[in-house]
């Protein structure tokens, strides 16, 4: 009952304020080979705008890749050599905008806003000197040059389906045994309760592996999303994620007594956070701090990040160690709690 | 030596078992012993605490206080041993409705690390009756057949103690009769049976019974003894206006108590009060017609009514 009354309030607030696709305080790295007035003015303007936050300053092109890999910035602004000089003497200079296009919509907005800021600087210069200055921003979408949205949603769908199948179906399957009364008979048998649980989990484990395989096949051959990184590390990360989801389902099944309750808990506790807070639909960077903080406990967030890194950006497993670590930790915590809470009796 | 010890112990023993759910006292100090190889009936109305008692004995829930043992094993510490050697048939039909009869039996045989063949002798009589339907889904069986299947499944591992929680509730009279016949056969094979039922007429089929009400045992004895210990004389009274008759009988000083019992009223009268002619005259004066009064043998139900009044 409370859920029915609270749901609209929470959703209105979430959608109204917290979850926006607007560009806000996006982290930007700048590559400035030669320091000069023009480049620092542009950097200041970027920084001063509400849209961007200049978080890193790099000096060579080799540093660009690590910036994206470590998710330090979503956009890298590359000034050409002797930018200010060229601008003063030739009247034209080039800026390259490199965006992480694994989320194509966000990438388009970033480059659009950045180009606008650069344009406005150009206007200012024109006003001062009446000389025709020309700064040409050149946009380059990294990792997803064709701007396919499937690059963004394949990892998202993976993250969601796995969680749904493993967590929701597992918890419902176990709770159904309780509801039907069959758990009562199974408990009064030599079968160890842990085997009962394992045998309930196995089919859904197999099912999610099959699902993983189908999603992979579909995304590679139908949607044309390549697996840029190592397939084995992708499989490894996915197995880890399945393990986390299964333990979540187990936890739900130990605290609920009816299929309806299990459905509600996994629906409210999983579906909505996964859709809203995993970064699948709404960029996490734009959320207020409390929500960003909460998003850290959504397993799907870490999984989707890892999948994006491996599958789209082609990075090795070493670059997603943090994500893997967090998922491991979540899995261990969830399994420990649910095994502790698991009852060998009815109550 | 241990084995000897266990053999000599009773099959089930309960010592001052208490169980409270929130504010409701489900069991208040239940004490009883069940001998090996006996059919022990727990007789009482719905909500008396029968299922709670069964769940405590089958290690499914923990009692708040008191100790209990089944087959010589403590229900709390040795629950794993108990789970290996008892058969349990819950009150609610709890088999897999979407599996067929045969699949259910096979499944439970596997769960108990045995095969249908191994203990087929034990369930043969029961299972043969449902074997023609072995490819039918359990959910599609009739009440009597479901219950036979559930009993087969509970017996598949040749349990030493069998717990049957209201096995005949919702089952037609013919199947009920058959069912009790089966229990007699199982008893002959040395299986101890604890059975609960709200039907008082089934009580006489048990070796010993316990009458339970509001979480307390009113009496434990053989059905015969319970009936013979009925303190008063019992009369069956009938007239044209049964409702008025019930009220008049209850108000009358000539009777101890009175209950509607089918098409007659059962009236309990103490030996001093007993005077069929007096009672008839009194009722005549109150305007009753076609009065019929007969002295009858009390049934378990009469005993239960009397005991529960105390």
């Amino acid at each position: 009952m409370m859920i029915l009354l609270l749901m609209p309030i929470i959703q209105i607030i979430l959608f109204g304020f917290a979850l926006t696709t607007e560009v806000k305080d996006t982290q930007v790295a700048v590559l400035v080979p030669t320091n000069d007035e023009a480049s620092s003015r542009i950097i200041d303007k970027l920084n001063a705008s509400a849209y961007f936050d200049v978080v890193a300053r790099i000096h060579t092109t080799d540093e660009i890749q690590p910036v994206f890999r470590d998710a330090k910035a979503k956009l890298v602004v590359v000034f050409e050599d002797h930018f200010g000089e060229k601008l003063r003497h030739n009247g034209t200079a080039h800026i390259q905008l490199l965006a992480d296009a694994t989320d194509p919509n966000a990438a388009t907005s970033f480059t659009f806003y950045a180009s606008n800021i650069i344009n406005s600087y150009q206007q200012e210069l024109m006003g001062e000197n009446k000389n025709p200055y020309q700064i040409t921003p050149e946009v380059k979408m990294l990792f997803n040059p064709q701007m396919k949205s499937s690059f963004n949603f394949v990892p998202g769908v993976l993250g969601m389906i796995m969680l749904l199948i493993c967590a929701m179906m597992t918890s419902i399957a176990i709770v159904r045994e309780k509801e039907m009364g069959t758990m009562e008979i199974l408990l009064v048998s030599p079968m160890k309760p842990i085997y009962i649980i394992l045998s309930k989990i196995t089919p859904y484990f197999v099912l999610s592996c099959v699902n993983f395989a189908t999603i992979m096949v579909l995304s590679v051959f139908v949607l044309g999303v390549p697996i840029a990184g190592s397939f084995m590390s992708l499989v490894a990360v996915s197995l880890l994620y399945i393990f986390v989801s299964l333990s979540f389902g187990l936890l739900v099944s130990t605290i609920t007594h009816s299929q309806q309750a299990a459905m509600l808990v996994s629906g409210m506790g999983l579906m909505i956070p996964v859709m809203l807070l995993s970064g699948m639909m709404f960029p996490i960077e734009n959320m207020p701090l409390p929500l960003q903080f909460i998003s850290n406990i959504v397993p799907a967030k870490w999984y989707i990040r890892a999948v994006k890194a491996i599958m789209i950006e082609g990075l090795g497993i070493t670059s997603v160690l943090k994500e893997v670590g967090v998922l491991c930790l979540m899995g261990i915590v969830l399994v420990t709690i649910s095994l502790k809470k698991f009852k060998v009796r009815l109550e | 030596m241990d084995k000897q010890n266990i053999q000599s112990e009773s099959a089930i023993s309960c010592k001052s078992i208490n169980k409270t759910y929130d504010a409701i006292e489900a069991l208040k100090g239940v004490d009883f012993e069940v001998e090996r190889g006996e059919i022990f009936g727990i007789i009482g109305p719905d909500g008396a605490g029968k299922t709670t008692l069964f769940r405590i004995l089958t290690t499914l829930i923990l009692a708040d206080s008191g100790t209990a043992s089944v087959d010589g094993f403590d229900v709390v510490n040795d629950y794993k041993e108990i789970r290996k050697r008892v058969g349990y048939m819950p009150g609610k039909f709890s088999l897999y409705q979407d599996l067929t009869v045969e699949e259910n039996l096979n499944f439970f045989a596997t769960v108990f690390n045995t095969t249908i063949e191994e203990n087929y002798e034990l369930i043969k009589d029961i299972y043969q009756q449902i074997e023609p339907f072995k490819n039918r889904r359990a959910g599609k069986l009739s009440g009597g057949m479901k219950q036979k299947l559930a009993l087969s499944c509970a017996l598949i591992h040749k349990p030493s103690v069998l717990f049957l929680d209201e096995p005949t509730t919702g089952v037609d009279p013919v199947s009920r009769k058959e069912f009790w016949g089966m229990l007699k056969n199982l008893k002959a094979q040395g299986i101890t049976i604890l059975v609960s039922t709200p039907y008082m007429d089934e009580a006489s089929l048990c070796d010993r019974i316990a009458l339970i009400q509001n979480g307390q045992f009113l009496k434990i004895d053989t059905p015969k003894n319970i009936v013979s210990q009925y303190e008063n004389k019992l009369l069956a009274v009938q007239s044209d206006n049964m409702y008025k008759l019930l009220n008049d009988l209850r108000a009358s000083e000539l009777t101890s108590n009175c209950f509607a019992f089918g098409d007659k009223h059962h009236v309990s009268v103490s030996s001093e009060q007993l005077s069929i002619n007096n009672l008839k005259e009194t009722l005549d004066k109150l305007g009753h017609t076609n009065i019929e009064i007969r002295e009858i043998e009390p049934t378990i139900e009469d005993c239960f009514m009397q005991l529960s009044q105390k």
Side-chain angles (χ1 to χ4, degrees):
Chain A
M1 200 54 207
M2 279 310 280
I3 287 170
L4 292 180
L5 290 174
L6 283 178
M7 212 160 60
I9 301 174
I10 291 172
Q11 289 200 344
I12 286 285
I13 292 175
L14 275 181
F15 285 116
F17 298 99
L19 303 170
T20 57
T21 46
E22 289 161 23
V23 176
K24 208 176 89 191
D25 293 334
T26 304
Q27 297 108 319
V28 176
V30 289
L31 192 155
V32 200
T34 35
N35 267 318
D36 50 50
E37 198 212 336
S39 54
S40 28
R41 289 273 305 272
I42 290 179
I43 294 167
D44 286 345
K45 271 182 104 58
L46 284 171
N47 213 359
S49 76
Y51 312 123
F52 299 110
D53 220 353
V54 177
V55 292
R57 210 172 253 271
I58 53 181
H59 304 285
T60 62
T61 44
D62 294 340
E63 291 172 74
I64 296 176
Q65 196 68 18
V67 163
F68 284 116
R69 191 184 61 205
D70 303 339
K72 273 193 201 144
K74 296 268 174 186
L75 182 73
V76 175
V77 180
V78 182
F79 294 90
E80 69 177 328
D81 275 346
H82 309 290
F83 176 80
E85 222 177 293
K86 281 188 184 163
L87 188 63
R88 254 193 337 271
H89 296 305
N90 310 348
T92 71
H94 290 91
I95 290 181
Q96 206 177 25
L97 300 174
L98 301 176
D100 175 0
T102 45
D103 183 351
N105 293 333
T108 317
S109 322
F110 298 155
T111 52
F112 176 73
Y113 283 110
S115 306
N116 273 353
I117 290 171
I118 292 164
N119 269 334
S120 77
Y121 174 68
Q122 190 185 319
Q123 301 286 333
E124 277 176 34
L125 282 183
M126 303 257 268
E128 283 171 19
N129 293 359
K130 307 274 183 242
N131 280 341
Y133 283 112
Q134 181 74 36
I135 303 173
T136 325
E138 184 195 327
V139 174
K140 198 169 169 201
M141 296 295 179
L142 291 182
F143 312 120
N144 182 7
Q146 291 143 302
M147 304 281 290
K148 281 190 184 168
S149 59
S150 45
F151 279 58
N152 185 35
F153 77 69
V154 165
V157 166
L158 260 179
M160 200 160 90
I161 297 277
M162 306 282 231
L163 202 61
L164 269 189
I165 301 275
C166 300
M168 194 144 144
M169 298 309 284
T170 311
S171 61
I172 289 177
I174 296 176
V175 171
R176 183 165 60 217
E177 298 268 339
K178 288 194 203 172
E179 231 180 45
M180 295 293 289
T182 40
M183 192 58 121
E184 211 167 318
I185 305 195
L186 288 181
L187 283 178
V188 187
S189 80
M191 202 146 117
K192 288 212 174 92
I194 189 74
Y195 291 152
I196 303 177
I197 297 300
L198 279 179
S199 54
K200 289 309 282 188
I201 284 180
T202 314
Y204 295 102
F205 177 76
V206 173
L207 209 66
S208 23
C209 290
V210 171
N211 272 324
F212 172 72
T214 20
I215 294 176
M216 280 294 120
V217 168
L218 281 177
S219 63
V220 172
F221 295 107
V222 181
L223 299 174
V225 182
I227 301 175
S230 137
F231 181 66
M232 283 326 285
S233 16
L234 191 59
V235 169
V237 172
S238 301
L239 285 178
L240 176 63
Y241 182 62
I242 291 176
F243 169 70
V244 174
S245 312
L246 285 175
S247 28
F248 195 98
L250 190 56
L251 182 63
V252 172
S253 74
T254 55
I255 53 175
T256 52
H257 292 282
S258 68
Q259 292 183 56
Q260 262 190 346
M263 188 106 105
L264 212 63
V265 170
S266 25
M268 295 288 144
L270 289 179
M271 277 289 277
I272 292 179
V274 169
M275 300 243 280
L276 305 183
L277 298 177
S278 66
M280 176 185 167
M281 293 173 129
F282 305 96
I284 294 170
E285 295 78 21
N286 293 354
M287 295 172 192
L289 270 179
L291 276 188
Q292 289 196 26
F293 183 72
I294 296 174
S295 77
N296 283 333
I297 58 167
V298 177
K301 171 190 163 177
W302 301 98
Y303 176 66
I304 291 174
R305 263 173 64 165
V307 169
K308 270 190 184 172
I310 295 172
M311 193 174 169
I312 313 291
E313 293 169 24
L315 304 173
I317 194 128
T318 42
S319 46
V320 291
L321 282 181
K322 185 182 171 196
E323 283 80 2
V324 170
V326 170
L327 285 176
C328 278
L329 196 72
M330 284 177 170
I332 292 168
V333 169
L334 285 172
V335 157
T336 320
I337 300 178
S338 44
L339 287 186
K340 274 239 163 95
K341 290 210 68 142
F342 182 77
K343 296 148 201 132
V344 294
R345 298 171 204 276
L346 273 187
E347 52 176 23
Chain B
M1 185 210 119
D2 261 334
K3 202 159 190 181
Q4 276 291 309
N5 226 342
I6 290 166
Q7 285 302 323
S8 60
E9 271 177 41
S10 45
I12 301 169
S13 128
C14 261
K15 286 194 183 73
S16 45
I17 290 285
N18 279 297
K19 178 74 191 174
T20 311
Y21 294 111
D22 295 324
I24 303 149
E25 281 185 90
L27 291 175
K28 302 175 220 167
V30 169
D31 273 295
F32 74 106
E33 303 261 330
V34 178
E35 301 301 322
R36 280 175 194 278
E38 98 178 312
I39 300 182
F40 192 94
I42 309 250
I43 320 285
D46 291 342
K50 300 192 295 286
T51 298
T52 305
L53 181 62
F54 271 74
R55 287 187 167 168
I56 287 174
L57 290 174
T58 50
T59 75
L60 281 170
I61 56 176
L62 294 173
D64 297 337
S65 65
T67 57
S69 68
V70 174
D71 213 3
F73 294 98
D74 185 71
V75 288
V76 182
N77 299 323
D78 307 324
Y79 74 92
K80 282 181 185 155
E81 284 302 316
I82 295 180
R83 288 180 182 189
K84 277 183 207 163
R85 57 192 71 219
V86 302
Y88 175 44
M89 188 174 150
K92 195 180 136 205
F93 179 70
S94 304
L95 300 179
Y96 292 92
Q97 316 246 3
D98 43 4
L99 292 186
T100 66
V101 168
E102 202 177 15
E103 284 166 344
N104 262 302
L105 201 59
N106 254 322
F107 175 77
F108 283 101
T110 316
V111 164
F112 283 95
N113 300 320
T114 178
T115 55
I116 297 183
E117 291 74 34
E118 211 169 305
N119 290 315
Y120 189 71
E121 272 309 301
L122 191 65
I123 59 164
K124 201 174 110 193
D125 293 341
I126 308 159
Y127 186 58
Q128 268 174 352
Q129 299 179 38
I130 46 173
E131 215 162 8
F133 312 98
K134 67 179 180 186
N135 291 321
R136 194 181 284 190
R137 292 193 171 188
K140 297 243 188 306
L141 292 175
S142 70
M145 286 200 278
K146 271 184 183 170
Q147 167 227 40
K148 278 168 200 154
L149 175 59
L151 184 62
S152 303
C153 289
L155 282 170
I156 193 71
H157 58 297
K158 201 169 196 311
S160 56
V161 183
L162 189 58
F163 290 93
L164 306 171
D165 190 7
E166 301 204 8
T168 52
T169 301
V171 173
D172 66 272
V174 178
S175 297
R176 271 169 62 187
K177 212 170 163 201
E178 274 177 14
F179 191 82
W180 279 94
M182 292 171 203
L183 296 192
K184 281 264 183 298
N185 288 339
L186 292 174
K187 182 198 152 158
Q189 311 224 24
I191 296 176
T192 311
I193 301 170
L194 186 71
V195 56
S196 76
T197 177
Y199 301 120
M200 307 279 171
D201 55 325
E202 290 179 347
S204 55
L205 301 166
C206 302
D207 294 327
R208 280 197 306 150
I209 54 169
L211 300 177
I212 184 173
Q213 195 185 35
N214 297 328
Q216 275 174 316
F217 276 7
L218 303 172
K219 196 157 202 162
I220 304 169
D221 213 330
T222 62
K224 252 194 192 130
N225 283 346
I226 287 184
V227 169
S228 67
Q229 282 162 19
Y230 190 75
E231 287 166 358
N232 294 342
K233 297 283 173 203
L234 195 68
L235 304 175
V237 185
Q238 215 176 352
S239 87
D240 282 342
N241 188 343
M242 293 297 277
Y243 179 68
K244 186 171 182 296
L245 181 65
L246 186 65
N247 289 334
D248 288 342
L249 284 169
R250 281 186 176 162
S252 166
E253 282 168 16
L254 292 169
T255 64
S256 298
N257 55 45
C258 171
F259 296 98
F261 208 101
D263 58 347
K264 296 182 178 65
H265 294 319
H266 282 194
V267 182
S268 161
V269 291
S270 59
S271 316
E272 308 89 66
Q273 290 170 323
L274 177 64
S275 160
I276 293 178
N277 289 337
N278 263 351
L279 189 60
K280 201 166 185 174
E281 262 171 44
T282 321
L283 291 175
D284 242 347
K285 274 179 203 155
L286 287 165
H288 287 281
T289 48
N290 281 334
I291 305 163
E292 246 181 71
I293 302 178
R294 247 173 347 104
E295 186 174 347
I296 52 166
E297 282 296 311
T299 63
I300 296 286
E301 189 160 358
D302 297 307
C303 301
F304 184 86
M305 287 315 221
Q306 194 188 40
L307 288 165
S308 64
Q309 288 293 305
K310 283 186 178 169

